[in-house]
Amino acid sequence: MKWSEAFHVTLREAPGDAEVVSHRLLARAGMIQKLAAGIYAFTPMGLRSLRKLIEIVREEMDASGAQEVDLPILQPAELWRETGRWERYIDDGILFHLKDRKGGEFALAPTAEEAVTDLVRRSVRSWRQLPFNLYQIRTKFRDEIRPRFGLLRGREFLMKDAYSFDVDEKGLDVHYRKMEKAYRTIFERCGLEYALVQADSGAIGGSASEEFMVVADTGEDALVFSDAGDYGANVEKAVTAPLPEPWAGEEPKAFGEADSPTPGLVTSQDQADHFGVPVSRIVKTMLYEAVREDGSSFVAAVLIRGDLDVNEVKLPRALGVGVNVGVSGSGSIIHARLLPEERLDAVAHTRPGFVGPIGLTPPAGQDEVPIYVDRSLENGLNVYCGANREGLHHSNLSVKRDLRVKAVVEVATAREGDPAPTGSGTLKIKRGIEVGHIFKLGTKYSQAMKCEVEGPNQKYVPLVMGCYGLGVGRTMAAAVEQSHDGDGIIWPVPLAPYAVTLASLQRDADVIAAADRIYAELKGAGIEVFYDDRDERPGVKFKDADLVGFPVRVVVGAKALARGVVEVSTRSQKKAEGIAPERLVEVVKATLAAGAKAIVGAT
Ligand code: ATP
Ligand code: MG
């Protein structure tokens, strides 16, 4: 493509609202343009990169045996009501929804479990028709709260989503591992540094869940790795080996009821300093309201060491242990939120900072406030806790002796430097961008939607499903987050809009003729070239080439031509080599094949 004939416009300045580097650079490179918050147009240049990624994804999905489908984006509310997600997604505010002229309600699909389950239940009758894995590469809509991160968090975005169907868990395992392998190949082919981490599989259902993360300092997610290399998890899921206990080897002392004044000291650290003890000797008592599927809720106390924080993503599952005793209502817990301060007084009779586990008043519908203890505090001995009175603490609490503990749970957030759960190494934290997610769904959707087949023993069984998402636009942006410099994008070869940019430096006839000839030759050799034939100064052309980030640059100028060469450089090294035109195709091909780090085959 010649620039003079292309629709391609680069910008000197990034749009004012572009906050992340991928948005700034993709916009300046003239690859995407914002239409509204979280909604982007792809230009011809941008679409070329997106298409390359789409093709890699499609090839690997096909190679895995998955089959491509196209599910409608506009989906009737009834379908979403069958799984209870209509109300939930509207409550969460994530669902774009609308009415047709007759008042019928529809959603713009944020994901497609319901639609694919409907497709399957209407046509599959027997286990003999299984297994299969259906995928699509289609636009999704989510009304994200903060759609400010360019393609990383769109409100309209492209996702590859796949759904596997099996009669049993064994089949699901096979599909799940196939998807893991396909995703690894996809991200490797894209030339991205990525990590696979354990993820939280949510409050309901789902036995395994892993995320593919592109490692980038700008990532939204915190990832926890063992420096021994044998453990990786999203911080939401990460656990540690048991932590050293400050009370190790002590004898329990007599409980000191409300004997420790803490006037005006509300943080654990201030209290610890006041008592002259490590902050791990202060018990934080957090009151949470756990909300169940059926809308019922109960209040629970979660006790954790003062040096640790509760990871709220882990709470729903943790608080599900033994809750049906002493509290009314039923069903899984879908989320847990800190009890609002205005309700604290009725339960704890004090304000934050002085809440403790002894003497809590259960709200109506509960005959107790169940006490959950983080594992780090399971053996807690001679520690301080709030006395449920302003400015007062108890001393020498012994958790096992003094409290009726409903369950010991693991809800602490892992910290850098904690021991890894695998027993070797300590934890390090890196940042990453979630680009893919593989998830064992089980029968959650097939049960709710009666997607059943006759099994080998003539009994009807709900299908066992897996779902596998991959953010296509987000992966493109993640590639930019991972690979750029002060001048612009450094595309990995497989995702570059064109492999080569060619620039003519002067307007004189010889230079133009030589550049035209090289353009034809490179194209003839099957190499994708973007030819900057504009009547612009060399500096402008170089800046634009760096900004868009073509992996290889070929420059045709009068001086070099006089020496019988053209100048070739890579975007990542920028060191130009003089190459005789007759060797150009060979050198460019070898350089691209080697990932366009350095020029290959210069002499
Ligand atoms: P996040 O936690 O980042 O909001 P998610 O866990 O809700 O994402 P999934 O439902 O797992 O996302 O979707 C599968 C994949 O789709 C994600 O791994 C991500 O790559 C991509 N994706 C999700 N939401 C967006 C978005 N708003 N914009 C771009 N890509 C997205
Ligand atoms: Mg996810």
Side-chain angles (χ1 to χ4, degrees), residues 261-490:
T262 43
L265 303 173
V266 293
T267 69
S268 303
Q269 188 61 58
D270 287 348
Q271 293 158 4
D273 293 348
H274 175 68
F275 296 133
V277 298
V279 66
S280 49
R281 289 246 187 201
I282 307 289
V283 174
K284 279 197 280 196
T285 304
M286 322 278 291
L287 295 179
Y288 283 95
E289 181 178 31
V291 182
R292 294 207 195 81
E293 264 178 308
D294 66 358
S296 64
S297 69
F298 65 94
V299 173
V302 177
L303 272 53
I304 192 164
R305 267 166 46 170
D307 58 330
L308 297 171
D309 287 311
V310 172
N311 176 340
E312 295 188 359
V313 177
K314 290 181 182 171
L315 272 185
R317 198 189 288 264
L319 299 185
V321 184
V323 286
N324 293 323
V325 189
V327 290
S328 59
S330 64
S332 315
I333 295 165
I334 51 174
H335 66 264
R337 56 179 170 233
L338 265 183
L339 195 66
E341 240 181 282
E342 64 270 18
R343 287 188 57 197
L344 204 58
D345 199 50
V347 181
H349 325 289
T350 187
R351 63 184 179 111
F354 311 107
V355 179
I358 300 167
L360 295 169
T361 306
Q366 283 182 238
D367 23 299
E368 61 163 356
V369 174
I371 294 175
Y372 293 82
V373 171
D374 182 63
R375 189 189 52 175
S376 61
L377 202 57
E378 180 181 6
N379 308 312
L381 214 58
N382 307 330
V383 291
Y384 293 91
C385 67
N388 291 324
R389 280 158 63 188
E390 171 85 27
L392 275 182
H393 272 64
H394 303 302
S395 69
N396 296 327
L397 177 84
S398 167
V399 171
K400 282 187 173 146
R401 178 191 66 194
D402 302 326
L403 301 178
R404 207 156 69 92
V405 174
K406 166 114 344 185
V408 174
V409 291
E410 278 194 66
V411 293
T413 303
R415 302 167 302 179
E416 178 131 354
D418 281 344
T422 43
S424 56
T426 52
L427 298 179
K428 295 272 170 282
I429 293 186
K430 286 191 205 173
R431 302 212 65 87
I433 299 164
E434 179 196 328
V435 286
H437 193 169
I438 56 177
F439 196 108
K440 287 187 182 174
L441 277 178
T443 56
K444 176 166 157 24
Y445 292 88
S446 53
Q447 253 172 356
M449 295 181 64
K450 284 218 161 334
C451 179
E452 300 175 335
V453 296
E454 200 174 349
N457 53 5
Q458 275 85 51
K459 273 216 205 96
Y460 275 83
V461 289
L463 295 187
V464 183
M465 293 170 59
C467 73
Y468 318 94
L470 189 154
V472 181
R474 184 182 285 186
T475 300
M476 178 170 156
V480 177
E481 296 284 338
Q482 190 173 81
S483 179
H484 65 269
D485 63 15
D487 297 324
I489 303 169
I490 305 173

Side-chain angles (χ1 to χ4, degrees), residues 75-86 89 107 109-111 114:
Q75 303 182 349
E78 294 75 63
L79 205 55
W80 284 77
R81 290 211 167 92
E82 286 188 50
T83 57
R85 286 213 291 182
W86 180 262
Y89 274 45
T111 170
E114 282 82 358

